[in-house]
Amino acid sequence: KQEVTQIPAALSVPEGENLVLNCSFTDSAIYNLQWFRQDPGKGLTSLLLIQSSQREQTSGRLNASLDKSSGRSTLYIAASQPGDSATYLCAVRLSGGYQKVTFGTGTKLQVIP
Amino acid sequence: NAGVTQTPKFQVLKTGQSMTLQCAQDMNHNSMYWYRQDPGMGLRLIYYSASEGTTDKGEVPNGYNVSRLNKREFSLRLESAAPSQTSVYFCASSAQPTPYEQYFGPGTRLTVT
C-alpha cells in the first residue's frame, strides 16, 4: 500500500526566505505527483503536476522536483511571502491503478511578515 | 469558469438521518471523485467514477453510496448518518487519459450529532 509522508507537519519562516517542502512515498511505481495548497476552510488548489517521466516543473516562484528512485518530491518556494501561508499537500497517483490517489497529511506553512 | 461546485457548503445531521451531497463540474472531465478529509488523516478516497456510467469503491466506502448521474454530476449519499461520518467532503474531477490533474470543489462541512 502506498504511503505518503510530509515532514515537517508545520513550518514557520520569515518573509523573503527560500524554503523547501518535502514529500516521500513508499511505492516508486507512480504515474504522477501533484502538489496542492489549501487555505483554511477552503478546497484544494492545484499548484504543480509532475508526470513520472519528468524531473521537475516550474510555475512562477514554485519549483517541484521528482526523484522516483528515492521516493521523494520537493516543492521549492522562492522569496516567500505572507500570502504563501497555507497547508501544502502532495498527492501520488500510482501506475496501473490510475484512479487511486494517496495524499500526504500536509505541511502547514506560516510566513511571518 | 465555475470549475467544480458542491452543495451544500455546510450541513448538520442527526444520527440516522440521510442526505445527498451534490457535485457538478463544467470542464468536460471523464473522472470524478469523492474524498473525505479528517484531521491528521489526510484526504481519503471514498468512491470514484472513471467515466459516465461507472463507479468504484475507494479506500473508505462503507456507509456511502454514489451516483454518476451524467458526465457533469456525481452525487454522494449517506443513507444513515453516523457521528464517524463527521468530516469535510470534497469532490474532484480530472481529465483522461492524461494528465489526470485533479481539480477540487470547495467542500461540504458535515457534522453528525
Side-chain angles (χ1 to χ4, degrees), chain A residues 2-3 22-30 33 55 65-74:
Chain A
Q2 178 76 279
E3 293 184 3
N22 297 298
C23 173
S24 300
F25 48 93
T26 55
D27 187 340
S28 62
I30 70 169
L33 185 148
R55 295 283 292 182
S65 68
L66 175 64
D67 184 345
K68 282 199 309 178
S69 61
S70 67
R72 290 191 59 196
S73 176
T74 61

Side-chain angles (χ1 to χ4, degrees), chain B residues 14-95:
Chain B
K14 291 186 177 356
T15 297
Q17 288 184 318
S18 62
M19 77 161 296
T20 300
L21 282 64
Q22 306 286 353
C23 173
Q25 52 91 12
D26 63 1
M27 296 174 282
N28 201 36
H29 286 169
N30 288 324
S31 300
M32 298 185 73
Y33 313 80
W34 277 105
Y35 292 91
R36 59 178 288 172
Q37 184 177 37
D38 302 291
M41 300 288 290
L43 276 84
R44 292 179 291 169
L45 183 64
I46 305 171
Y47 271 93
Y48 65 92
S49 171
S51 61
E52 186 179 354
T54 69
T55 61
D56 282 288
K57 296 177 180 179
E59 184 183 355
V60 287
N62 291 345
Y64 305 95
N65 285 301
V66 291
S67 295
R68 183 73 182 268
L69 304 170
N70 47 55
K71 192 171 186 179
R72 290 187 64 248
E73 298 172 289
F74 188 37
S75 63
L76 178 72
R77 182 160 178 85
L78 286 70
E79 291 290 352
S80 179
S84 61
Q85 294 178 305
T86 293
S87 187
V88 181
Y89 292 85
F90 289 101
C91 177
S93 69
S94 67

